[in-house]
Amino acid sequence: SYELTQPPSVSVSPGQTARITCSGDALPKKYAYWYQQKSGQAPVLVIYDDIKRPSGIPERFSGSSSGTMATLTISGAQVEDEADYYCYSTDSSGNYYVFGTGTKVTVL
Amino acid sequence: EEQLVESGGGLVQPGGSLRLSCAASGFTFSSSWMSWVRQAPGKGLEWVANIKQDGSEKYYVDSVKGRFTISRDNAKDSLYLQMNSLRAEDTAVYYCARARLLDYWGQGTLVTVSS
C-alpha cells in the first residue's frame, strides 16, 4: 500500500523557520495537503494543492513540492504553532488516500 | 458557516456493529464529496473512506473493505458509516470531513471496541 513518510519531530525556537518534509512516490503527479492538529482538537487544513493557503491561515505557512517530496514551511514559527502536522495525498490511481506518519513540531 | 456534527459512537463488543452519522450544514452537501477519517488513541490520522456527490463512487482503506459501508442521504444532508464485524483495532475517534481535500472537519465521535 502507498505510504507518505514524515520526520517524527521538528524543533525550532520562536521566530525561526520550521520545515516539515513529506516523501511519497506519487507526489510528482499528485497534490499534497497539510493539516495542523493541536492537542485534543480536530485537524485544520493549512495548505492544499501543494502551495495554496485557505483563508484565515497565517501567511507564515507555505507549501512547496519538488519531485517525490512536499514541504510545509512555517516562517517565523510562533509558540501557538506547536502541534502535530500531517501531509495527505492520493496514490497513483487518484482514488485511495493516505496520511503521512505525522510530525510533532515543538516551538521553544 | 460550514458545520459537521458526528454522532453514533460508543462502546461495542468485538464482532459487533455500529452506525455513525454526520449532519452537515452551512454548505451545499449534495455538491461535495465526503470523507471519513479516524484516529486511534495516541496515533496518527488514517483515511477510512470517501463517497462521491451522488453516491456512485465509494472508496475504502484496505483494512475496512468488506466490513464498513459509507453512504449518504442528500435529502437529509447526512453522511453515514456502517461498521460491522468490529475489531479492537477499530477503536478510534471517527471524523467526517468535507470533500476529498478535507477542508472542514467535525469534532469527531469516539468508537471503543472492547469486551
Side-chain angles (χ1 to χ4, degrees):
Chain A
S1 61
Y2 186 51
E3 295 180 350
L4 296 173
T5 302
Q6 299 178 232
S9 63
V10 168
S11 184
V12 296
S13 299
Q16 288 190 329
T17 296
R19 292 183 179 85
I20 306 163
T21 58
C22 173
S23 177
D25 290 340
L27 290 177
K29 294 188 176 181
K30 301 299 181 184
Y31 285 130
Y33 304 83
W34 291 92
Y35 302 86
Q36 175 194 69
Q37 186 180 33
K38 296 183 178 180
S39 181
Q41 298 183 18
V44 173
L45 178 68
V46 295
I47 293 291
Y48 67 100
D49 292 355
D50 288 344
I51 61 172
K52 299 176 182 178
R53 194 173 53 249
S55 61
I57 300 301
E59 292 184 6
R60 63 180 179 272
F61 289 90
S62 64
S64 62
S65 187
S66 178
T68 60
M69 186 169 290
T71 302
L72 173 68
T73 301
I74 310 173
S75 303
Q78 305 295 309
V79 172
E80 59 262 33
D81 299 330
E82 278 206 347
D84 294 323
Y85 291 83
Y86 297 90
C87 61
Y88 170 79
S89 186
T90 181
D91 68 2
S92 56
S93 75
N95 294 323
Y96 299 93
Y97 285 78
V98 63
F99 282 95
T101 47
T103 299
K104 182 175 184 61
V105 171
T106 302
V107 182
L108 50 68
Chain B
E1 179 187 0
E2 296 84 351
Q3 191 171 15
L4 296 167
V5 179
E6 302 93 340
S7 60
L11 175 64
V12 61
Q13 292 188 338
S17 298
L18 212 55
R19 188 195 196 205
L20 305 183
S21 299
C22 171
S25 60
F27 65 97
T28 306
F29 180 78
S30 60
S31 297
S32 298
W33 278 78
M34 293 296 296
S35 304
W36 286 100
V37 174
R38 67 183 179 183
Q39 186 170 34
K43 301 298 185 182
L45 300 172
E46 181 179 37
W47 171 77
V48 174
N50 60 24
I51 183 169
K52 195 176 179 179
Q53 290 91 331
D54 61 358
S56 61
E57 294 182 37
K58 305 175 184 182
Y59 301 97
Y60 301 89
V61 68
D62 284 347
S63 59
V64 308
K65 281 180 183 175
R67 301 189 300 123
F68 290 11
T69 301
I70 189 172
S71 63
R72 64 192 297 160
D73 185 338
N74 288 341
K76 296 183 177 179
D77 290 346
S78 292
L79 176 72
Y80 306 101
L81 186 67
Q82 177 66 44
M83 304 185 296
N84 298 331
S85 303
L86 282 161
R87 307 166 179 168
E89 55 264 35
D90 296 318
T91 294
V93 173
Y94 284 74
Y95 297 98
C96 68
R98 188 178 81 163
R100 287 175 291 182
L101 81 160
L102 315 178
D103 56 352
Y104 290 98
W105 297 61
Q107 284 305 303
T109 187
L110 176 62
V111 172
T112 303
V113 184
S114 175
S115 55

